[in-house]
Amino acid sequence: MQRWPVVLFLAWVCFLFFAGIGLFMSGFLLTRIELASSSSCSDPLVPPLWERQSLPPGSCWAPQRFSKAVLVIIDALHFEFARFDPAKASPLPYENKLGVLHQLATSQPRHARLYRFRADPPTATMQRIKGLTTGSLPTFIDVGSNFASYAIQEDNLLAQLVQNGRRVVFMGDDTWEGLFPKKFFRSYFFPSFNVKDLHTVDDGILQHLYPTVDSGEWDVLIAHFLGVDHCGHKHGPDHPEMAKKLTQMNEMLRSLVDHLGNDTLLLVAGDHGMTETGDHGGDSEKEVNAALFVYSRTPLFGSGPPEEPETIPQVNLVPTVALLLGVPIPYSNIGEVMAELFTGDSDAVSAALQQLSVYHINAKQVDRFLQSYSLVAQDLPAEQLQHLQELFSSAVEEHTQLLTQVQGTTVPPELKPRLGSLISRFQRYLREARAVCTQSWARFHPLRMVGGCILIASSCLLCYVASELAASSQSLCRSCLLYPLFWGPVGAALLWLVHVFTQEGLDLLLVSSWAAAASQLGFFWHWWGQHLKRARLTGSQPPLASGGLRQRLQAWLGLAFPMGILVFRCGAMFSDSFVVAEARVAPFLLASLVMLLVGKLHWDGHLTVPEGPKQQLLGISSYRREIWYLLCLVAMLLVCVRLSSFFHQCREEIPQCRPSIFLSPLASLRNTRAKNLFYLLCVALLAGLVYAVQSWLRHYGNLNSSDPLVLFVRWGFPLVVLCIACYWAVASSADDSLGKLQELVQVAVVVFPRAVYGLASMGLLLLLCNPMTVFAKDTRESAGSIVTPYLGVPGSEVDFLHVIPQIYKRMQESQKSRLERGSCRATVAAYGLGSVYSAALVIALTLLGFLLMLLHSERLSFAFLLLFVEAFVLLHIHTCARGLAGDAELFSVPWYAVISWLLAASQFFYSTGHQPIFPAIHWNAAFVGFHLDHSTNLLPAVLVGANTFASHILFAVGCPLLLLWPFVCEVSTSQRKKPKKESREELQEVEEHMMEMRLRESPEEFSTALLRLGLKYLFVLGAQLLACVCAAMILRRHLMVWKVFAPKFLFESLGFVVSSICLLLGISLVMRVDCAVSTWFSQLRLR
């Protein structure tokens, strides 16, 4: 059997897809160009009004209004959390808890004000920190670096404060440490990633906050609280814990106000909001709607607050704070200064002149940035830049003319109307400039996007061509692999030489893509040459007979309906409404495909028995008995599809949707009786899964030996279930425990998951070392060795009735001669040999299922049970359909089976509580078994990825079962229709049912079948990926591109990577079992 060539060929095809994904992503998700320039006090941006007078010491560009500032960031402070409505008699847990803000705003209306603080998506914490300090807009792809906070190199507010000698003290979220290394005068960082920890960060800040404020050894103090955000992730906003956390924040602010001096500005801000489930990261209204509260002991505003709080973008905070503290505005800021904070006690005319001056500075700074950026990036539309330049020039010119007519602070009456008009013109310029940047920020690289699409499309074509070629050439993977392995490095070397001669930097991604394209060309060149040779050889032969043509047409028609479903699914990726509703469409397509399969079997006449003369006369056709078994399987599948819809997650595009109650952990249930009932049901499901797997293995004779793997299945599986049950028990009651019991629970929450990790790893290691689950009963004579695969429990009667002939012809002939002489003495009985490949896969899938269930909430174990049942039903439908159709190609898996298998994987992606959006990611999975913060980002990324793509992992690893299952079911189907025969005929009947050992008779066909199955699986995955890539490229200027199409592309790409790697692991496991079977036979021969 060709083992390594098959795995290498599939790995090379996966590399082609990976190169295409990387090339497209580099052109579609480019980060914004960051300018290295920074502002300084010497920049000529001071307006004419302040050029006439020297600025106070410590001031740049504008007079300093405050010498100190306190910025309190309450992570995920939604505007509704900060708003106070006295009319509400029974507020929700998150309402009317920050009463101190309302008290200050009503008692001192000119000193305090509440704003709607609108965040720019993506609403991940790191991106919001960048926006709050640089005044710019982080791009979409930056959300991927939320686990690896790269230091901000762009000019920012903290850099300006440090550059101008201000002492910045920080306490709270340790994300700031990675973003601003060595920027703080003093810092108190606390681990932030454990979203289940509500108190460590907040309590640490409160320990240092008031002593630091009272010491006075600071100019700017930043405190970033995380308790509200973590409470939302763990419990959601509508929970008593949220009321406790907001009350704690209220008391903190009340005490902090008492410690502030007259020269201090207080800013209380939320970096983003949160959804009804406590998540964030997207661009829904609830995620971008945060709160900002401004307070000072000295008057800030010239008039009272408006009836409805004003909405301001978050980037507006940067130029406002910079000028209030007397430091330059960061170079790349595109925010608009909050001019009303610069009026104070001044009269209306003086306030207007002050506002005009800060607007003048702000407009000059934005104009300078736009000019510098357009020279470097050249992606801003030229006509819009020209329009903005005209707006800016006319406003600055009019401002200069107006100031020449002003004597001091005295403004002639005829000029007063022009003040308001000029302020509006500056505001218009700043807002239009920000809008232009927002619309044009995504800088696409069309050539790379097209190249990525072509590479993915050609990889799909290669999969289809290679799968068809493999049917006629069993040495395809060995012969055709040499050409790509040669042409790929040659293409990479040519590109490297070009870069050497042109003295340009070498892009590793571009080199990989070039090597992939060159290797593809080598494959297609070789294939086309072989095709031409074959055409010349067959050119002199007569054309196809009508029977051959009819068979080919039937084959194409059989291919049409599964491919039609696939084409419909791929074509609908271009519709945002389809992507939003895909959780309901994928199960519908799966059910439709299965029903079409039954209809085709009926249309082809495979469901009816041949009609006799009497039936033809009466016009009656009788159905075969197997049809009822098939219909029962289809009914079971439809029930599973229907039940899986109860485990859904919601998108904010469907406002009437309510998330499934099964997504929340048991700890969120307040009803103790319901919690205990659900717990018992979940544990019973785990025990039932173990019982079903052990029963299946025992039925096929794979639990009879005393090998370590078999012993682990017998005793290790129940132990894993016990550990998971104990973890669920302590995790669901962790919040209810007190005192020393709380410490014990915290230890148990870590120990039990790690025990599951250890046991599952041990089981997988045993499976890899010795995957054989065969028990050999040796009662041979010295004449020679004969091996027969056995089922069931050993016994003399079973030994006599179920003796299966030898795999090798010599052994078969020996057995026949013995039967002819009437000798029925037993030889070597191998129990479980006929299902040895499938048994290894079933064991691996069970272990992976345990791990993945551990990473999900307890009640999602119902969904995983449905997943296993539906996969089992699909395998039997596939086997039954092939038996009814009389398919002679036993070593070929039909397309409908592969497509239905992948549709089921997509279905259970949604039915395990996921959606292709960032807010739906289950971040809690990163801390299953890890109480404290992770030392590296790799492990949490693996855990969260395994949680997100659980269905992809299970179905990809189990993909070889589509090939193996019909062989496993061979005996059970034959026993229903086994007639009485003579001894020779009985032997012949038994010979036909060798189960998976039939694969060993034709090792070359076995390896070719695995190769074709892998290529078909990658083709279907690649077609779905290609549809998402084309949709993202064609609709890149669509209104919903960053909300729907880009996240779908990213999730589909990651799902492809995970699925392809797991597919290679599944096929490699089958290869490992085959190697162990060969070794077992070799050792048996030597006895």
Side-chain angles (χ1 to χ4, degrees):
M1 180 182 183
Q2 302 181 48
R3 299 188 185 100
W4 285 112
V6 170
V7 176
L8 288 177
F9 193 90
L10 291 174
W12 169 63
V13 174
C14 292
F15 164 73
L16 299 180
F17 279 106
F18 296 166
I21 292 172
L23 185 61
F24 179 84
M25 194 175 292
S26 67
F28 180 69
L29 297 176
L30 285 178
T31 56
R32 174 180 57 87
I33 292 180
E34 296 182 354
L35 301 182
S37 305
S38 61
S39 301
S40 66
C41 290
S42 59
D43 293 340
L45 299 180
V46 181
L49 177 64
W50 291 326
E51 282 180 350
R52 305 172 185 173
Q53 54 189 4
S54 58
L55 294 173
S59 300
C60 285
W61 296 7
Q64 176 184 355
R65 283 210 65 192
F66 296 95
S67 60
K68 293 179 180 291
V70 177
L71 174 60
V72 176
I73 298 177
I74 301 178
D75 208 290
L77 182 64
H78 193 278
F79 179 77
E80 296 301 325
F81 297 179
R83 194 170 196 171
F84 193 91
D85 186 2
K88 286 197 173 183
S90 55
L92 296 173
Y94 59 83
E95 293 179 330
N96 289 2
K97 296 300 182 292
L98 296 180
V100 64
L101 304 185
H102 176 72
Q103 177 187 347
L104 291 173
T106 53
S107 62
Q108 305 177 58
R110 296 185 60 192
H111 296 250
R113 186 164 296 180
L114 180 65
Y115 295 90
R116 291 184 183 271
F117 204 34
R118 193 167 189 84
D120 296 295
T123 51
T125 295
M126 193 198 75
Q127 281 66 36
R128 291 298 84 237
I129 294 174
K130 285 185 177 181
L132 287 170
T133 55
T134 63
S136 188
L137 304 178
T139 52
F140 180 85
I141 191 58
D142 284 342
V143 75
S145 59
N146 211 28
F147 291 101
S149 302
Y150 303 108
I152 296 179
Q153 305 296 332
E154 202 171 17
D155 194 14
N156 58 82
L157 184 59
L158 267 70
Q160 288 296 333
L161 290 168
V162 173
Q163 183 179 326
N164 287 275
R166 309 300 170 86
R167 296 166 298 178
V168 182
V169 175
F170 178 84
M171 51 189 71
D173 185 352
D174 61 354
T175 304
W176 292 71
E177 183 180 16
L179 292 173
F180 305 101
K182 301 180 181 179
K183 285 289 191 297
F184 300 108
F185 178 74
R186 189 179 295 114
S187 57
Y188 306 94
F189 297 113
F190 302 97
S192 61
F193 192 58
N194 189 357
V195 294
K196 294 184 178 181
D197 184 0
L198 308 186
H199 306 294
T200 298
V201 178
D202 293 1
D203 293 346
I205 295 174
L206 293 175
Q207 182 181 355
H208 300 283
L209 179 61
Y210 306 120
T212 303
V213 172
D214 295 337
S215 69
E217 296 180 354
W218 56 277
D219 296 304
V220 175
L221 191 150
I222 303 174
H224 191 157
F225 291 86
L226 288 177
V228 173
D229 178 68
H230 287 188
C231 184
H233 284 297
K234 186 176 182 181
H235 301 291
D238 192 8
H239 193 275
E241 284 295 326
M242 182 62 76
K244 295 179 184 178
K245 184 53 64 176
L246 289 173
T247 301
Q248 181 188 30
M249 294 296 99
N250 186 66
E251 296 304 317
M252 176 272 298
L253 292 173
R254 191 183 301 278
S255 300
L256 181 60
V257 168
D258 295 335
H259 287 75
L260 297 180
N262 294 332
D263 61 342
T264 304
L265 174 68
L266 173 64
L267 299 163
V268 182
D271 57 341
H272 51 75
M274 72 169 60
T275 63
E276 293 178 351
T277 58
D279 299 314
H280 59 90
D283 61 349
S284 66
E285 184 61 31
K286 292 189 176 183
E287 291 171 282
V288 301
N289 193 16
L292 172 66
F293 180 76
V294 183
Y295 172 77
S296 172
R297 290 185 178 273
T298 57
L300 277 171
F301 307 98
S303 59
E307 294 184 4
E308 186 65 24
E310 182 183 355
T311 300
I312 62 168
Q314 282 191 354
V315 291
N316 290 12
L317 187 66
V318 172
T320 304
V321 173
L323 294 183
L324 286 174
L325 295 178
V327 298
I329 300 175
Y331 194 92
S332 300
N333 165 74
I334 58 170
E336 174 190 342
V337 69
M338 299 164 61
E340 65 270 16
L341 295 178
F342 293 84
T343 56
D345 289 327
S346 306
D347 57 87
V349 174
S350 299
L353 290 174
Q354 293 281 343
Q355 291 182 18
L356 276 176
S357 296
V358 294
Y359 272 129
H360 188 112
I361 296 173
N362 194 185
K364 273 192 171 182
Q365 172 264 319
V366 171
D367 177 71
R368 179 184 64 176
F369 166 70
L370 291 179
Q371 291 183 11
S372 302
Y373 187 83
S374 61
L375 292 176
V376 175
Q378 298 178 355
D379 59 348
L380 299 176
E383 62 278 4
Q384 294 187 9
L385 282 176
Q386 181 64 30
H387 172 66
L388 290 174
Q389 182 62 36
E390 292 173 357
L391 282 178
F392 170 75
S393 300
S394 61
V396 169
E397 183 179 355
E398 184 175 351
H399 185 210
T400 305
Q401 292 176 358
L402 186 145
L403 290 179
T404 58
Q405 305 175 36
V406 174
Q407 303 297 328
T409 57
T410 304
V411 179
E414 65 275 8
L415 297 181
K416 290 182 180 180
R418 292 176 56 188
L419 294 176
S421 174
L422 190 54
I423 289 176
S424 300
R425 292 176 63 180
F426 274 117
Q427 290 176 340
R428 179 188 172 192
Y429 166 75
L430 291 168
R431 291 170 187 176
E432 288 191 12
R434 180 174 178 272
V436 168
C437 291
T438 303
Q439 294 171 3
S440 305
W441 220 254
R443 217 177 123 257
F444 299 112
H445 196 304
L447 190 59
R448 290 199 173 200
M449 287 192 292
V450 172
C453 283
I454 293 175
L455 200 52
I456 294 174
S458 58
S459 300
C460 291
L461 178 63
L462 186 146
C463 288
Y464 184 82
V465 170
S467 67
E468 295 300 318
L469 284 177
S472 58
S473 174
Q474 296 180 358
S475 60
L476 168 80
C477 52
R478 181 176 296 171
S479 61
C480 289
L481 189 59
L482 299 176
Y483 294 90
L485 291 179
F486 172 74
W487 285 107
V490 168
L494 290 176
L495 184 64
W496 178 77
L497 289 175
V498 170
H499 279 271
V500 168
F501 285 110
T502 57
Q503 297 182 351
E504 295 181 1
L506 196 62
D507 188 347
L508 182 60
L509 180 61
L510 197 60
V511 172
S512 302
S513 304
W514 189 266
S519 63
Q520 274 189 348
L521 288 176
F523 174 85
F524 284 117
W525 183 272
H526 174 69
W527 165 71
W528 185 250
Q530 294 295 322
H531 176 72
L532 291 179
K533 288 182 180 179
R534 198 176 298 112
R536 290 194 207 100
L537 292 174
T538 58
S540 59
Q541 296 180 3
L544 289 172
S546 60
L549 182 59
R550 187 180 301 110
Q551 291 177 358
R552 180 164 296 190
L553 288 175
Q554 288 180 352
W556 277 103
L557 289 175
L559 187 63
F561 78 89
M563 285 300 180
I565 294 288
L566 178 61
V567 169
F568 176 81
R569 172 172 168 77
C570 295
M573 294 291 185
F574 292 82
S575 167
D576 59 331
S577 58
F578 169 83
V579 177
V580 169
E582 192 179 11
R584 290 174 291 171
V585 176
F588 170 77
L589 292 178
L590 174 61
S592 301
L593 180 57
V594 174
M595 296 302 293
L596 283 172
L597 172 63
V598 176
K600 183 179 182 299
L601 290 173
H602 185 271
W603 180 268
D604 293 339
H606 296 307
L607 302 185
T608 57
V609 296
E611 298 179 356
K614 185 176 180 180
Q615 286 84 355
Q616 291 180 356
L617 180 63
L618 298 176
I620 300 174
S621 59
S622 57
Y623 288 95
R624 298 167 65 172
R625 287 179 297 174
E626 291 83 356
I627 180 59
W628 306 113
Y629 178 63
L630 177 62
L631 292 179
C632 289
L633 291 173
V634 172
M636 288 181 62
L637 176 70
L638 296 178
V639 170
C640 291
V641 168
R642 179 58 182 165
L643 291 177
S644 67
S645 63
F646 290 102
F647 305 92
H648 64 278
Q649 178 66 278
C650 290
R651 296 180 64 120
E652 62 97 10
E653 293 91 344
I654 310 177
Q656 69 273 15
C657 177
R658 291 294 177 268
S660 171
I661 61 171
F662 295 96
L663 301 182
S664 57
L666 288 179
S668 64
L669 288 179
R670 304 177 190 177
N671 189 325
T672 306
R673 181 174 297 178
K675 180 188 295 187
N676 293 336
L677 177 61
F678 274 116
Y679 172 77
L680 292 176
L681 286 175
C682 293
V683 175
L685 287 178
L686 283 178
L689 177 62
V690 171
Y691 176 78
V693 171
Q694 290 184 344
S695 299
W696 186 90
L697 293 172
R698 188 176 295 109
H699 171 72
Y700 285 103
N702 295 104
L703 282 186
N704 293 323
S705 72
S706 58
D707 290 336
L709 178 61
V710 175
L711 294 177
F712 181 85
V713 173
R714 288 177 181 173
W715 306 109
F717 277 15
L719 188 58
V720 172
V721 171
L722 179 63
C723 292
I724 296 177
C726 292
Y727 168 70
W728 285 350
V730 296
S732 61
S733 59
D735 295 335
D736 302 330
S737 53
L738 300 173
K740 294 184 178 179
L741 186 60
Q742 176 72 22
E743 298 179 2
L744 185 62
V745 167
Q746 294 300 326
V747 173
V749 167
V750 175
V751 170
F752 284 121
R754 293 192 179 183
V756 176
Y757 294 151
L759 288 171
S761 301
M762 181 189 301
L764 292 173
L765 187 62
L766 290 174
L767 183 63
L768 183 64
C769 293
N770 184 17
M772 292 288 290
T773 54
V774 177
F775 173 66
K777 183 179 179 181
D778 192 352
T779 58
R780 294 175 296 179
E781 298 177 355
S782 59
S785 63
I786 300 175
V787 184
T788 55
Y790 259 55
L791 297 173
V793 181
S796 59
E797 184 177 357
V798 175
D799 292 349
F800 177 77
L801 294 177
H802 296 85
V803 174
I804 301 176
Q806 197 43 249
I807 305 305
Y808 300 97
K809 292 183 178 180
R810 182 184 62 81
M811 298 177 183
Q812 291 175 355
E813 293 172 357
S814 173
Q815 177 70 2
K816 289 180 182 180
S817 63
R818 286 170 180 262
L819 287 172
E820 289 175 354
R821 295 194 308 267
S823 175
C824 298
R825 285 168 294 182
T827 54
V828 175
Y831 298 90
L833 190 60
S835 56
V836 64
Y837 297 102
S838 298
L841 284 172
V842 169
I843 294 172
L845 289 172
T846 306
L847 290 171
L848 290 175
F850 287 146
L851 289 174
L852 296 173
M853 279 190 275
L854 182 70
L855 297 177
H856 287 75
S857 63
E858 300 91 340
R859 288 182 285 180
L860 281 178
S861 56
F862 293 96
F864 279 93
L865 176 66
L866 283 175
L867 184 151
F868 284 114
V869 171
E870 185 170 313
F872 180 80
V873 170
L874 279 175
L875 289 172
H876 276 278
I877 289 176
H878 163 51
T879 302
C880 186
R882 295 193 66 169
L884 289 169
D887 194 350
E889 296 185 9
L890 296 177
F891 290 86
S892 176
V893 179
W895 282 100
Y896 72 80
V898 178
I899 294 175
S900 61
W901 196 252
L902 275 164
L903 284 174
S906 298
Q907 170 201 346
F908 279 99
F909 170 77
Y910 296 99
S911 296
T912 49
H914 299 98
Q915 285 280 350
I917 51 176
F918 293 107
I921 295 176
H922 300 175
W923 301 109
N924 290 341
F927 291 94
V928 176
F930 299 91
H931 179 61
L932 300 177
D933 202 13
H934 290 279
S935 58
T936 64
N937 296 320
L938 178 61
L939 184 57
V942 169
L943 293 175
V944 173
N947 173 281
T948 304
F949 300 104
S951 64
H952 296 71
I953 293 172
L954 292 174
F955 279 95
V957 172
C959 178
L961 289 175
L962 292 173
L963 173 64
L964 302 173
W965 205 259
F967 295 95
V968 175
C969 298
E970 195 175 36
V971 169
S972 59
T973 56
S974 66
Q975 287 175 349
R976 300 195 198 106
K977 54 183 180 181
K978 182 177 177 181
K980 293 183 179 180
K981 301 185 178 181
E982 298 297 329
S983 61
R984 184 183 297 273
E985 294 175 349
E986 183 177 353
L987 172 66
Q988 187 176 356
E989 174 71 15
V990 173
E991 281 184 5
E992 293 177 358
H993 306 295
M994 299 165 60
M995 300 172 63
E996 290 179 350
M997 285 300 100
R998 189 181 296 277
L999 297 166
R1000 293 274 311 167
E1001 286 187 325
S1002 306
E1004 294 299 326
E1005 290 187 17
F1006 186 18
S1007 60
T1008 301
L1010 286 173
L1011 175 64
R1012 294 189 66 193
L1013 176 60
L1015 290 172
K1016 288 181 178 181
Y1017 201 86
L1018 291 174
F1019 171 82
V1020 180
L1021 280 174
Q1024 296 175 172
L1025 174 65
L1026 179 63
C1028 292
V1029 165
C1030 293
M1033 181 182 68
I1034 296 172
L1035 303 174
R1036 61 186 181 275
R1037 295 299 182 186
H1038 191 277
L1039 179 65
M1040 307 293 286
V1041 61
W1042 301 117
K1043 193 170 188 178
V1044 175
F1045 296 111
K1048 176 62 178 174
F1049 157 68
L1050 287 178
F1051 276 82
E1052 196 71 33
S1053 300
L1054 291 174
F1056 180 91
V1057 173
V1058 172
S1059 298
S1060 57
I1061 292 174
C1062 291
L1063 174 68
L1064 289 176
L1065 293 177
I1067 293 179
S1068 298
L1069 178 60
V1070 175
M1071 301 285 188
R1072 175 68 185 92
V1073 177
D1074 186 76
C1075 182
V1077 171
S1078 299
T1079 304
W1080 185 83
F1081 272 113
S1082 299
Q1083 294 175 350
L1084 191 63
R1085 281 185 168 186
L1086 296 176
R1087 293 180 185 177

